[in-house]
Amino acid sequence: AVRVALLFDCLGWSVVIAHPEPPSFGDVLALAMLTSGFFIFSVAAFLVLYIFPTGRFLSRRWSWAGWMAAAVSAEVFFVYLFLEEGGLADFSGQDWVTHNPFGVIPVDLWYDGPLQVAFGIGLITLFVGVIPSVIVRYLRSSGLVRAQIKWVGFAAGVWVVVFAINLFSPGEGDVFSTLNFIALAMVP
């Protein structure tokens, strides 16, 4: 999932740099990949904690997290793909917005609307569910696996704190964005 998010970002920047008007479906697809890449990366970060370090869920009961992650990622991608307007804020010193000829979803349904609330509920559910998952995995393991979980737990805890500060800080700050990037880089 992390590779998909990075691929989305790379393909999306190719469209943003070209500024096509009107955009083709491929251009809109690449722009949707770019704008949804961060959200999909966030979901993937939580999913990694469910399967770390074995690469598998604890049991079939925990596989709901994989389905939730897939549903939330698909929602955000398709919302950005079919929004009436798409673009980037503060690109080259100005906002860049283009009309999506394939857009059927009003912008108000996503930005501070019910679709973004649904995404938020899914992300919070993944976050709340990962805590008992990591605790149960820690209690069932021993030695090296416990040490790995401690390190990842520490890095994830730092990232959550920095992300929350960045999320609730007034205005836009380069310091918080940089700290968020550094904290996220700590998580393996």
Side-chain angles (χ1 to χ4, degrees):
V2 173
R3 291 179 190 159
V4 171
L6 292 175
L7 174 69
F8 279 16
D9 285 346
C10 292
L11 291 175
W13 278 109
S14 66
V15 172
V16 172
I17 291 170
H19 290 312
E21 288 293 335
S24 67
F25 184 75
D27 297 333
V28 171
L29 180 65
L31 186 59
M33 290 176 173
L34 173 66
T35 51
S36 66
F38 169 76
F39 296 107
I40 293 172
F41 186 78
S42 299
V43 170
F46 287 122
L47 191 59
V48 164
L49 295 175
Y50 277 97
I51 62 174
F52 182 81
T54 62
R56 298 174 187 235
F57 292 105
L58 283 168
S59 67
R60 286 183 177 249
R61 291 183 185 162
W62 290 94
S63 65
W64 65 267
W67 291 105
M68 174 72 78
V72 168
S73 297
E75 177 211 4
V76 75
F77 173 72
F78 284 113
V79 163
Y80 275 111
L81 181 61
F82 293 112
L83 273 179
E84 289 178 344
E85 292 181 346
L88 295 174
D90 198 27
F91 176 71
S92 299
Q94 62 185 353
D95 289 347
W96 179 67
V97 177
T98 185
H99 176 73
N100 181 358
F102 310 100
V104 293
I105 299 173
V107 175
D108 296 341
L109 281 179
W110 175 247
Y111 296 107
D112 298 327
L115 293 175
Q116 195 170 34
V117 170
F119 171 77
I121 290 170
L123 197 60
I124 290 170
T125 303
L126 285 171
F127 173 70
V128 170
V130 81
I131 295 168
S133 172
V134 171
I135 291 171
V136 168
R137 188 176 298 270
Y138 181 80
L139 293 175
R140 288 183 183 175
S141 62
S142 62
L144 182 62
V145 173
R146 280 191 176 198
Q148 291 173 337
I149 291 172
K150 286 179 194 177
W151 278 109
V152 171
F154 173 74
V158 169
W159 176 68
V160 167
V161 169
V162 171
F163 183 77
I165 291 171
N166 191 22
L167 190 64
F168 295 112
S169 64
E172 296 181 22
D174 291 335
V175 174
F176 288 123
S177 296
T178 304
L179 285 175
N180 191 26
F181 178 75
I182 291 169
L184 187 58
M186 290 174 56
V187 179

